[in-house]
Structures are given as structure tokens and as C-alpha cells.
Amino acid sequence: MSVAPGHTGSMAIEPFDVVDLIRTKRDKGVLSTAQIDWMIDAYTRGYIADEQMSAMTMAIFLNGMERTEIRDLTLAMINSGERMNFDSLSKKTTDKHSTGGVGDKITLPLAPLVASFGVAVPQLSGRGLGHTGGTLDKLESIPGWRASLSNEEFYSQLEEVGAVICAAGSGLAPADGKLYSLRDITGTVEAIPLIASSIMSKKIAEGTAALVLDVKFGSGAFLQDIERGRELAETMVQLGRDAGVATSALLTNMNVPLGFAIGNANEVRESVEVLAGGGPADVVELTVALAREMLTLAGQPDADVEGALRDGRAMDTWRAMVTAQGGDPDAALPVARETHVVTASRSGVLVDQQALPFGIAAWRLGAGRARKQDPVQHAAGIDLHAKPGDTVTEGQPLFTLSADEPARFERALEAVEGAYRIGDVGDEILTGGPLIAGRIG
Ligand code: URA
């Protein structure tokens, strides 16, 4: 037993001692529901110190958690804040979450595409940290576009337009916000129980009726190994179902950047190409596959998803969505002051293009942030001109770096050194397999 410090008079009696809980996980034991509930509540209200929670997250990282513990952790994090409710909407809700990758702009074409079928897509999104971009950062490249909406604006846009992509308020799963910042600086992000409970607590608290998870594996993902990706997907699908959310997952390959654009404004440009019925084959393939999953869970398994991209319905919803949030869908997007083109040193076939180094390079150009409070440079990033498997000729542009300050090019070029290779016809193309490697659900 322990008592809360700093109190005089009547002291709150705490039911557990956090050091006992840390020892239990350190020694590969199992925490009870009551212990996990208390731990999350006590950490959220500041009773458990960051250094104690750091020891706990490291013990979880090293020794894992039982499924019952992961479920309890998720519920405790949901209960740390408010829960949204869409019962009053006239439309069914369906949402998507990606575990994050390089060039992953899929939410931008996907949300309006799915909403064009008369369902509501409440996408509460985040900003980028490190080499994976943030959906809000990308959309903020559009002049006038606003990420923060009041509750009334959010609900009325869902009813009228169907698609909303906006900032999640701090009221949803606040325990996760605190825990995620701690994991970020203690090397404990890549733990399946912690990732699964972090993502699912926010998505369940958000109140969507259906959820499709895009779980990435490969060099540009949190989890490199496909089997670990599958375990994460299965854990999250189970958590969703236990909470009454219709949930499925696609297991997708993040060894190669998605599409040709890595950055912010350039990713918006590429998304608009997809909404106009064009765009890179991999971005279209994944957008269509995720849209089918979301619409199937929302009761429309036969929706003509490609048709909505071809005939402009998805584009109309995009324009309405951007306009409703103060953006001008026709405004010119920012362009960087400086560019640097890297050309092919020989003729042959591009056999390798590794996602992580290209993500890091885009970040170093200014497309991402190193600290939460830093701004991003919307025009900074990388435009690829060839993808693995493409034939290239000596001197042809392979990719263009864009930045506002030319001094950034050197460190970006260092990041991609050895990350792409031109081989000969017949050499193995190092993509690590198909884009969509499996489905769970
Ligand atoms: N995204 C989240 O929201 N949480 C994690 O732990 C990892 C990715």
C-alpha cells in the first residue's frame, strides 16, 4: 500500500504500489484488470512518475503482455477520456487507420471516395513525428484549410459532406497521449501490446461503428517483419471486435515508398490525381482495396469504387470536404524555392528503393518535424521519377529533392546513399513481395 505524496489532512489511499506492478512485468507475470485500471488512472493524474512508467513500458516491450492485459490496457486508456457517439447521425460510420509509412497519403483520396457512397468517415488524424508524415500536415498545404473544428462543425460536416479529416481533440484517450510521448523518448514505441492499445483506444473512443486497419510491415514501417505485422493486425482486430466495432485489417508492404511523392504539398497533388481517376498504380490499388473493405463493413460490399474515381463523384466530395474546412481546392499549392535532381549513373533497371531512407531524407529536407512544436515546410519533400522494376537510362532523373534552404540537400543525400540501386535486366527487384500481403478479419 502507498499513499499519494504531497497531501496533508485526509490522504487518498492508493490500492497498489507501482513498484510491485513493475516487478510483476519485469518477472514475466500477468497484471490484473484492477491493477491495469489503477496504473493508467494513476499515471494520467500524475501519481505514477514518468521514470516508473518508463520502467513499466520497457518491461512490457521486453516481456510482452497477455491478450487479457492488452484488452484491459485498451479499456483503461479509453476510460481516461471522453467517448464520442454518432448515434444521432443519419449515416453509418466507417473509418480507417494506418500504422504509418513513407509516402502514405491514402487517407486523402480514401475518405472522400468512401463518403461519396453516402457513409460518414470521421477521420481524426495526427501530425507527423519523425520520418512518417502526418495527414494534417499534408492537408495544411492547402491555402486556408483548417485542422481544428468545433464539435458542431464536425458533426454537421459529417452529416452534409460525409468526410471529415481533422485534429483529434485532447479529450480522447488522454492517457495514450502521455504514454506515447514517453514511449517516443524511451525506445519503447515498437511493442505490439503498446501499439495495439494506443491505436485502438483512440479509434474505439472516437466512436466509429466500423474500422479498417492498414497494418504496414517492412523497412519504412514500425514493424519490419511481416509476421510481427500480422500479430499486430490480429491483436487490433480482436480488440475492435471485443469493443463492438466491426474491424478488419489489410497487411501491406512498406519496403518501398508509396507512390511518387513524399512530403506534404506534393502528396496532396498526387492524391488529387487519384481523385481525378489517374495517379500511381500502387496508391490507386491500396485506396481501392481499403475503400472496398470500409464499404463492405458499412453494408455496401458491391459498391463500384473505381467508378466513383472515374466519374468524378469522389472528386466532388473532396472539393466539398476541403471547402467546408476553409480550404480552396483550386488554389495553387506551395512550391519549394530550391530543387536538386539526382540522375541515373548508368542505364539498367531500378532494382531497389528503400522506404525508410527516403522517408528520413524527406524529413531532413523539412517535410517532417523533429520536435512536436516545430513547423513543417509544406513544399519540402521528394518526387520520385522511377519505381523499382522501371527501366532507366543514364542521365535520366531518378528523383528530385525540394527544400526552401539548399543547405538541407547534403544531409538528405547522405540519408539516401545506398538506398537505391540500378541493376541489370533479370536482376531481382527488391520490393519484398506484393503491396497487399494479407487480410485479417
Ligand atoms: N500510432 C499510434 O497511434 N500509436 C502507436 O503506438 C503507434 C502508431
Side-chain angles (χ1 to χ4, degrees), residues 129-213:
L129 194 62
H131 75 276
T132 58
T135 300
L136 302 181
D137 295 324
K138 300 180 207 294
L139 283 165
E140 279 174 347
S141 316
I142 302 172
W145 189 84
R146 202 158 48 86
S148 294
L149 297 183
S150 67
N151 272 354
E152 294 69 41
E153 289 172 321
F154 180 68
Y155 281 95
S156 83
Q157 190 175 325
L158 269 185
E159 191 67 67
E160 280 154 34
V161 179
V164 182
I165 305 174
C166 69
S170 53
L172 289 182
D176 174 62
K178 200 169 169 193
L179 202 53
Y180 191 83
S181 304
L182 185 74
R183 289 165 54 208
D184 205 33
I185 55 165
T186 54
T188 53
V189 167
E190 302 89 345
I192 288 175
L194 299 176
I195 299 176
S197 55
S198 164
I199 291 173
M200 294 308 289
S201 62
K202 285 175 290 204
K203 285 290 158 185
I204 295 167
E206 175 195 284
T208 184
L211 175 66
V212 177
L213 298 157

Side-chain angles (χ1 to χ4, degrees), residues 44-313:
T44 309
R45 64 186 150 84
Y47 177 77
I48 293 177
D50 276 346
E51 50 271 37
Q52 294 173 310
M53 205 59 180
S54 305
M56 175 59 83
T57 53
M58 187 56 83
I60 293 171
F61 181 94
L62 295 172
N63 295 329
M65 274 185 141
E66 301 274 325
R67 284 277 166 101
T68 52
E69 292 177 291
I70 303 175
R71 186 202 56 209
D72 291 342
L73 184 59
T74 307
L75 288 175
M77 295 210 288
I78 294 169
N79 291 335
S80 71
E82 66 199 37
R83 270 180 101 144
M84 296 182 75
N85 184 321
F86 297 118
D87 289 350
S88 60
L89 276 189
S90 68
K91 301 171 173 183
K92 289 188 175 167
T93 48
T94 184
D95 197 5
K96 177 252 1 178
H97 182 83
S98 158
T99 56
V102 176
D104 184 2
K105 72 277 295 171
I106 302 292
T107 295
L108 275 57
L110 181 66
L113 170 60
V114 172
S116 73
F117 288 88
V119 294
V121 184
Q123 261 284 330
L124 298 177
S125 297
R127 292 177 198 284
L129 194 62
H131 75 276
T132 58
T135 300
L136 302 181
D137 295 324
K138 300 180 207 294
L139 283 165
E140 279 174 347
S141 316
I142 302 172
W145 189 84
R146 202 158 48 86
S148 294
L149 297 183
S150 67
N151 272 354
E152 294 69 41
E153 289 172 321
F154 180 68
Y155 281 95
S156 83
Q157 190 175 325
L158 269 185
E159 191 67 67
E160 280 154 34
V161 179
V164 182
I165 305 174
C166 69
S170 53
L172 289 182
D176 174 62
K178 200 169 169 193
L179 202 53
Y180 191 83
S181 304
L182 185 74
R183 289 165 54 208
D184 205 33
I185 55 165
T186 54
T188 53
V189 167
E190 302 89 345
I192 288 175
L194 299 176
I195 299 176
S197 55
S198 164
I199 291 173
M200 294 308 289
S201 62
K202 285 175 290 204
K203 285 290 158 185
I204 295 167
E206 175 195 284
T208 184
L211 175 66
V212 177
L213 298 157
D214 179 3
V215 179
K216 307 224 173 268
F217 66 91
S219 82
F222 278 121
L223 303 175
Q224 324 271 287
D225 176 51
I226 185 167
E227 285 316 318
R228 299 244 305 142
R230 194 183 304 279
E231 190 186 334
L232 175 63
E234 285 170 356
T235 307
M236 292 198 291
V237 167
Q238 195 57 51
L239 286 171
R241 292 193 175 160
D242 286 351
V245 179
T247 311
S248 67
L250 295 184
L251 198 54
T252 72
N253 186 331
M254 196 14 88
N255 284 299
V256 173
L258 255 178
F260 289 96
I262 309 166
N264 294 297
N266 60 348
E267 291 202 29
V268 173
R269 241 175 248 125
E270 188 163 272
S271 302
V272 172
E273 282 168 29
V274 173
L275 288 159
D282 56 350
V283 179
V284 174
E285 181 186 348
L286 192 49
T287 304
V288 166
L290 289 165
R292 284 225 174 85
E293 285 288 325
M294 290 169 74
L295 287 163
T296 299
L297 294 183
Q300 298 191 45
D302 301 322
D304 179 11
V305 170
E306 282 104 333
L309 289 174
R310 260 194 321 267
D311 66 19
R313 271 176 291 154

Side-chain angles (χ1 to χ4, degrees), residues 2-82:
S2 62
V3 291
H7 284 264
T8 53
S10 72
M11 287 191 283
I13 307 287
E14 298 290 337
F16 300 103
D17 185 332
V18 65
V19 180
D20 289 342
L21 272 53
I22 295 168
R23 286 198 186 107
T24 300
K25 279 322 295 175
R26 183 197 64 189
D27 299 340
K28 303 190 170 69
V30 177
L31 297 176
S32 69
T33 304
Q35 287 173 324
I36 291 175
D37 281 350
W38 172 78
M39 176 177 79
I40 293 302
D41 175 60
Y43 182 57
T44 309
R45 64 186 150 84
Y47 177 77
I48 293 177
D50 276 346
E51 50 271 37
Q52 294 173 310
M53 205 59 180
S54 305
M56 175 59 83
T57 53
M58 187 56 83
I60 293 171
F61 181 94
L62 295 172
N63 295 329
M65 274 185 141
E66 301 274 325
R67 284 277 166 101
T68 52
E69 292 177 291
I70 303 175
R71 186 202 56 209
D72 291 342
L73 184 59
T74 307
L75 288 175
M77 295 210 288
I78 294 169
N79 291 335
S80 71
E82 66 199 37

